[in-house]
């Protein structure tokens, strides 16, 4: 598990390909559809009787009475469909028309019984009626079969921020701590304004009132509990982490306390995913929008206790106008006392949720997905009573014009530098990076939902995650160029700490992602994947 310590290891290769197969990892999201031959509808075209003699002269069976269609389809990408059309027919020249339900169609010809394979990509997610028509002109016969399909990917709908779970007060679960090795069963689908049938949810999960080190694992109800962890904590810590988690068919998610002492859990929702068209995702190279130490995006100087500032997101630094939500990495540094930040849409009253929790003097980061206000801004409130510096990096955005659909995958470990079976084994040296090929040249991958964890830390530092301009082959051929060292931080740590944080990493142009140790001392790194965004 990501919270465990392990002995030191020798230096090893820093570049590798992931052992995860994206297709297999996302297999549970793909769907199959079928319509048997007995659903074929037949009709005779005008002049059918007059054509009987012609059909017989051409060697075709008169009337082609057995003409029928069998349809089978499977979704293998977020937007795509593979259709197998089995035609049962006497020998005859057949005209085949496939209507995909989105105003587009394919046409071809066939000669008697055959199986055709066609692929189609939908611009928008949703339900569509696929209709196949086969016409036997010689016999003036026409048969039709159709069925409804649904695309596999999911689009994002902003929501909240709203608190769904607080075991301290009995919100969303019985009042009282979650026992050691126990689980909080949280309703998501059908809760408040969240519809039933959601495929995944974005939660900010916080562990608090901890008395011993441990971890929290979040997963969909009815799914096998993964070996990955989402929140790691120590005694006395209050630790949040963003989670993008599949929702079970019953509408619930599970929050497992992997520690040996009871803890309180909080969960705040900021959005959910459905298979209906809404907002797609577009990833970015992490870009700094706010740094109160320099006066970027807000007034220069610490954000005062209980103060709120708003900052422009839409229309700046690569983020277009009209985005519905934004994916951020928010960092607090130099806080004068314990407190929390709340990030929320501009134009609204600050909710009673927290986005980042911190203690005096701590530097800590957390991923945040937050709706953008109608004016294109977001707001940040310092919930402490004293000042703190705030840094905001944008890693991506959601909009109706973006077509990155979310595909949840079975949680899988990409890197564990402590494990000799890991693609990359050995500590990540200071001021160096691991380069991991996740999807390579596979087309249509826009980004990945990852959880990064550092452990066995030997000094202070921070982790940066950014796309690599090189292909894996460039490293093997020794033709790789030096990637530009990123400035945005994904997570921050001090010596001896285990720190996790979710990151929505861009796939860039090569499907290779770099994980930079920006400190001067080595650390172990664990990277788990929970899903990815696909544009096709």
């Amino acid at each position: 598990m990501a919270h465990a310590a392990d002995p030191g290891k020798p230096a090893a290769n820093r570049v590798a390909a992931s052992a995860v197969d994206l297709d297999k990892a996302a297999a549970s999201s793909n769907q199959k559809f079928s319509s048997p031959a007995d659903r074929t509808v037949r009709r005779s075209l005008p002049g059918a009787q007059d054509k009987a003699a012609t059909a017989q002269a051409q060697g075709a069976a008169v009337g082609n009475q057995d003409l029928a269609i069998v349809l089978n389809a499977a979704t293998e990408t977020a937007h795509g469909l593979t259709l197998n059309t089995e035609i049962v027919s006497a020998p005859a020249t057949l005209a085949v028309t496939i209507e995909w339900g989105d105003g587009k169609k394919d046409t071809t010809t066939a000669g008697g019984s055959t199986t055709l394979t066609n692929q189609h990509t939908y611009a928008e997610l949703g339900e569509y009626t696929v209709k196949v028509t086969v016409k036997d002109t010689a016999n003036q016969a026409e048969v039709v079969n159709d069925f409804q399909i649904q695309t596999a990917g999911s689009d994002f709908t902003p929501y909240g921020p709203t608190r769904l779970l607080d075991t301290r007060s009995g919100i969303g679960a019985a009042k009282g701590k979650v026992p050691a090795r126990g689980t909080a069963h949280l309703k998501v689908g059908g809760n408040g304004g969240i519809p039933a049938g959601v495929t995944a949810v974005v939660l900010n999960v916080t562990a608090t009132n901890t008395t011993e080190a441990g971890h929290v694992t979040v997963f969909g109800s009815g799914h096998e509990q993964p070996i990955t962890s989402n929140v790691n904590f120590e005694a006395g810590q209050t630790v949040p982490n963003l989670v993008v988690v599949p929702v079970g068919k019953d509408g619930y998610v599970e929050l497992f306390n992997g520690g040996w002492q009871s803890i309180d859990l909080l969960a705040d929702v900021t959005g959910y995913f459905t298979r209906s068209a809404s907002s797609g995702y577009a990833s970015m190279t992490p870009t700094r929008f706010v740094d109160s130490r320099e006066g970027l995006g807000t007034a220069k100087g610490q954000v005062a206790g209980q103060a709120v500032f708003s900052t422009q997101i839409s229309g700046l630094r690569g983020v277009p106008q009209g985005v519905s939500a934004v994916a951020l990495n928010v960092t607090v540094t130099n806080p004068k006392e314990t407190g929390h930040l709340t990030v929320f849409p501009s134009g609204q009253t600050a909710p009673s949720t927290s986005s980042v929790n911190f203690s005096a003097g701590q530097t800590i980061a957390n991923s945040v997905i937050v709706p953008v206000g109608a004016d294109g801004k977001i707001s940040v409130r310092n919930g402490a009573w004293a000042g703190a510096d705030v840094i905001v990096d944008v890693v991506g955005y959601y909009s109706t014009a973006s077509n990155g659909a979310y595909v949840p995958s079975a949680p899988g470990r990409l890197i564990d530098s402590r494990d000799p079976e890991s693609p990359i084994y050995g500590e990540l040296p200071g001021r160096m990076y691991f380069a991991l090929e996740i999807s390579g040249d596979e087309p249509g991958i826009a980004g990945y939902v990852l959880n990064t964890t550092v452990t066995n830390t030997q000094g202070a530092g921070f982790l940066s995650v950014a796309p690599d301009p090189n292909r894996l082959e460039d490293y093997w051929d020794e033709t790789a160029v030096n990637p530009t060292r990123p400035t945005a931080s994904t997570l921050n740590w001090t010596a001896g700490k285990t720190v996790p944080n979710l990151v929505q990493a861009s796939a860039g142009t090569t499907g290779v992602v770099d994980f930079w140790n920006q400190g001067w001392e080595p650390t172990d790194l664990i990277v788990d994947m929970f899903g990815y965004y696909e544009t096709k």
Side-chain angles (χ1 to χ4, degrees):
M1 299 300 294
H3 58 281
D6 204 29
K9 303 199 174 54
N13 181 35
R14 305 298 168 196
V15 180
S18 167
V20 172
D21 183 323
L22 293 190
D23 291 336
K24 290 182 179 179
S28 62
S29 299
N30 294 329
Q31 302 177 85
K32 293 183 178 180
F33 310 90
S34 63
S35 184
D38 60 15
R39 290 193 71 250
T40 302
V41 177
R42 180 189 176 100
R43 73 186 184 102
S44 296
L45 300 177
Q49 291 181 347
D50 297 338
K51 294 290 184 178
T54 303
Q56 189 170 18
Q58 292 177 347
V62 175
N64 200 352
Q65 294 299 318
D66 294 329
L67 186 61
I69 306 170
V70 180
L71 300 178
N72 288 284
T75 56
E76 297 173 350
T77 64
H79 291 260
L81 179 76
T82 298
L83 172 67
N84 288 317
T85 303
E86 181 184 346
I87 300 173
V88 179
S89 172
T93 300
L94 308 174
V96 183
T97 301
I98 302 172
E99 298 173 79
W100 295 103
D102 59 353
K104 298 180 180 180
K105 63 182 180 180
D106 291 341
T107 60
T108 189
T109 57
S113 294
T114 189
T115 299
L116 304 174
T117 299
N118 297 79
Q119 294 180 323
H120 186 68
T121 299
Y122 292 95
E124 297 287 345
L125 301 181
E127 287 188 340
Y128 297 92
T129 299
V130 177
K131 176 181 175 182
V132 179
T133 303
V134 177
K135 184 183 293 186
D136 179 351
T137 303
N139 285 290
Q140 287 296 282
E142 181 181 88
V143 291
V144 176
N145 200 346
D146 64 23
F147 56 5
Q148 279 206 319
I149 66 92
Q150 186 165 36
T151 50
S154 298
D155 269 1
F156 179 76
T157 299
Y159 185 89
T162 304
R163 181 145 292 172
L164 295 186
L165 174 69
D166 190 339
T167 59
R168 302 170 304 180
S169 57
I171 296 175
K175 184 177 180 180
K177 285 185 169 186
V178 179
R181 318 300 290 179
T183 301
H185 194 55
L186 176 63
K187 183 178 182 180
V188 174
N191 190 346
I194 303 173
V198 296
T199 57
V201 65
V202 179
L203 298 173
N204 196 57
V205 177
T206 303
T208 191
N209 296 325
T210 59
T211 57
E212 186 178 282
H215 69 279
V216 177
T217 299
V218 187
F219 58 101
S221 175
H223 294 214
E224 183 179 353
Q225 182 178 318
I227 64 167
T228 55
S229 60
N230 300 100
V231 182
N232 297 73
F233 55 84
E234 297 178 358
Q237 279 190 321
T238 294
V239 181
N241 198 17
L242 194 71
V243 175
V244 181
V245 61
V247 177
K249 292 182 179 179
D250 60 359
Y252 282 77
V253 299
E254 311 282 2
L255 296 91
F256 172 72
N257 173 13
W260 296 102
Q261 297 293 331
S262 60
I263 59 173
D264 277 311
L265 288 175
L266 292 70
D268 302 320
V269 59
T270 61
Y272 56 84
F273 293 87
T274 65
R275 287 196 168 100
S276 301
S278 186
S279 293
Y281 183 68
S283 62
M284 297 172 53
T285 299
T287 304
R288 185 144 295 174
F289 272 59
V290 173
D291 190 337
S292 63
R293 301 168 302 179
E294 301 175 2
L296 175 65
T298 187
K300 185 175 182 179
Q302 289 200 322
V303 180
Q306 304 296 300
V308 176
F309 72 86
S310 297
T311 191
Q312 187 71 33
I313 295 293
S314 298
L316 286 180
R317 302 182 187 94
V319 178
Q321 297 286 355
V323 300
S324 59
V326 64
L328 311 170
N329 203 66
V330 179
T331 304
V332 176
T333 190
N334 305 317
K336 289 188 163 68
E337 68 173 29
T338 297
H340 67 275
L341 293 185
T342 299
V343 185
F344 59 100
S346 174
Q348 300 184 13
T349 302
S352 59
T353 58
S354 61
S355 304
V356 185
N357 296 71
F358 53 85
S359 56
Q362 185 180 26
T363 296
I364 187 169
N366 197 34
S367 289
V368 175
I369 297 175
V370 63
V372 175
D375 58 0
K377 297 180 179 181
I378 60 169
S379 297
V380 180
R381 178 179 181 269
N382 178 7
W385 292 99
D389 280 310
V390 177
I391 302 162
V392 178
D393 299 316
V394 173
V395 300
Y397 56 86
Y398 298 87
S399 74
T400 56
S402 304
N403 62 348
Y406 181 60
V407 180
S409 63
R413 185 144 289 178
L414 303 184
I415 297 174
D416 186 342
S417 63
R418 307 163 303 172
D419 182 358
E421 299 299 321
S422 173
I424 297 178
Y425 171 56
E427 292 175 323
L428 174 54
R431 310 300 289 173
M432 295 292 289
Y433 66 91
F434 288 158
L436 183 71
E437 181 187 72
I438 300 178
S439 59
D441 295 329
E442 185 170 341
I445 305 299
Y448 319 100
V449 178
L450 310 174
N451 201 65
T452 54
T453 304
V454 293
T455 191
N456 299 323
T457 54
Q458 299 178 36
F462 68 93
L463 184 77
S464 296
V465 181
D468 193 312
N470 302 290
R471 300 173 306 142
L472 195 64
E473 292 82 357
D474 297 331
Y475 283 101
W476 302 144
D477 297 341
E478 299 184 350
T479 59
V481 300
N482 291 327
T484 302
R485 183 179 294 276
T487 57
S489 64
T490 296
L491 58 84
N492 301 69
W493 68 84
T494 54
K497 301 296 184 181
T498 295
V499 183
N501 197 14
L502 181 135
V503 57
Q504 302 212 120
S506 170
T509 59
T510 65
V512 178
V513 178
D514 293 338
F515 302 87
W516 290 81
N517 177 1
Q518 302 279 32
W520 293 97
E521 301 294 336
T523 183
D524 274 311
L525 175 69
I526 302 99
V527 180
D528 300 315
M529 188 173 77
F530 295 92
Y532 55 90
Y533 292 96
E534 193 168 28
T535 60
K536 65 179 180 69

